[in-house]
Every structure is written in C-alpha cells, then in structure tokens.
Amino acid sequence: MEETKPAKRKPVFKKVDQLKPDTKGHTLVVKVVSSKIVLQKARPDGIQVRQMRIAECLVGDETGTIIFTARNDQVDLMTTGTTVILRNAKIDMFKGSMRLAVDKWGRVEVTEPASFAVKKRQLVAGRI
C-alpha cells in the first residue's frame, strides 16, 4: 500500500520588526550589513582537531536590523552585501537584546540580491 506524505507547508516570510523575544521557527530574507568574527579556536574532536568559529553579523531588511550569530560553516556565507534566507531561525536573548540564530535544525542559504534597502534601526527586545 502506498504511503502519502503530507504536503510541505509554504514558508511564511517574516520581517525583522515582527520578531519577538524567545520565539523560533522564523523564515526571513535579510541582507548582511557587517560581519565580525568574535571567536575562533581549535576544538578536539576525536582524532581530528576542528575549528570552532562564531561571528556576529548585523543583518536587516526594510523594517530594521538585528544581530545574527553565525556559527562554523555559516560564517563563510555571511559576507557584507550578501542576501541570505534564514530558515527555522530562533531568537535568543543576550544581555537584554535579541540575537537571531540558526541551529542544526535550520538553514542559511545565499539567494539572489534583494531589491530592498536596509533600514539602519536596530531591533531591541521586540521594538525598534
């Protein structure tokens, strides 16, 4: 007997100004405004030594900006001026401000350059 898979849901794209503290499952299209590596160290992983890299990236859309914490392979994708799709992103609180992150259940994809101009107002705990 044939099993039918449920149809995939279409992603609902959110804007930066719609993000709220401690929420997850967001899909956004954002431009990278800046990127800075804040941690780069070797970590033993069995026989091999793996690099652990963390970068803080300022990303945004036409409604505002937010800090995105990129980890390991994500760091290479986050170059200034690049447009990316963040799938299944979550909001973490760090020192009273919201940080956007994509863990192993999400995805960061480089996409076609967006036509919007980034609004340079940073989102802080649910308000601009």
Side-chain angles (χ1 to χ4, degrees), residues 5-20:
K5 291 185 179 181
K8 288 187 177 181
R9 288 188 308 142
K10 287 229 182 243
V12 177
F13 288 89
K14 290 200 170 187
K15 298 292 182 189
V16 171
D17 68 345
Q18 296 173 316
L19 299 174
K20 302 287 183 232

Side-chain angles (χ1 to χ4, degrees), residues 8 13 26-30 68 74 77-78 84-90 100-110:
K8 288 187 177 181
F13 288 89
H26 305 295
T27 302
L28 300 98
V29 176
V30 293
F68 172 73
Q74 297 171 355
L77 302 174
M78 304 302 287
V84 294
I85 299 175
L86 305 176
R87 297 187 189 276
N88 203 18
K90 64 180 180 173
L100 195 57
V102 174
D103 60 14
K104 66 180 180 178
W105 304 111
R107 213 168 159 180
V108 178
E109 303 170 8
V110 175

Side-chain angles (χ1 to χ4, degrees), residues 19-72:
L19 299 174
K20 302 287 183 232
D22 296 319
T23 55
K24 59 185 177 182
H26 305 295
T27 302
L28 300 98
V29 176
V30 293
K31 279 187 186 177
V32 180
V33 177
S34 65
S35 179
K36 181 177 94 175
I37 293 181
V38 293
L39 177 70
Q40 184 167 355
K41 68 178 186 178
R43 130 187 127 185
D45 185 28
I47 298 171
Q48 297 177 329
V49 176
R50 292 180 41 174
Q51 282 291 106
M52 184 169 127
R53 296 182 298 161
I54 297 177
E56 288 183 347
C57 310
L58 185 64
V59 299
D61 59 18
E62 65 271 15
T63 64
T65 58
I66 189 168
I67 300 283
F68 172 73
T69 305
R71 301 179 191 288
N72 301 324

Side-chain angles (χ1 to χ4, degrees), residues 112-123:
E112 299 293 317
S115 59
F116 58 79
V118 176
K119 187 174 183 181
K120 302 278 179 149
R121 294 182 70 194
Q122 190 155 347
L123 192 62

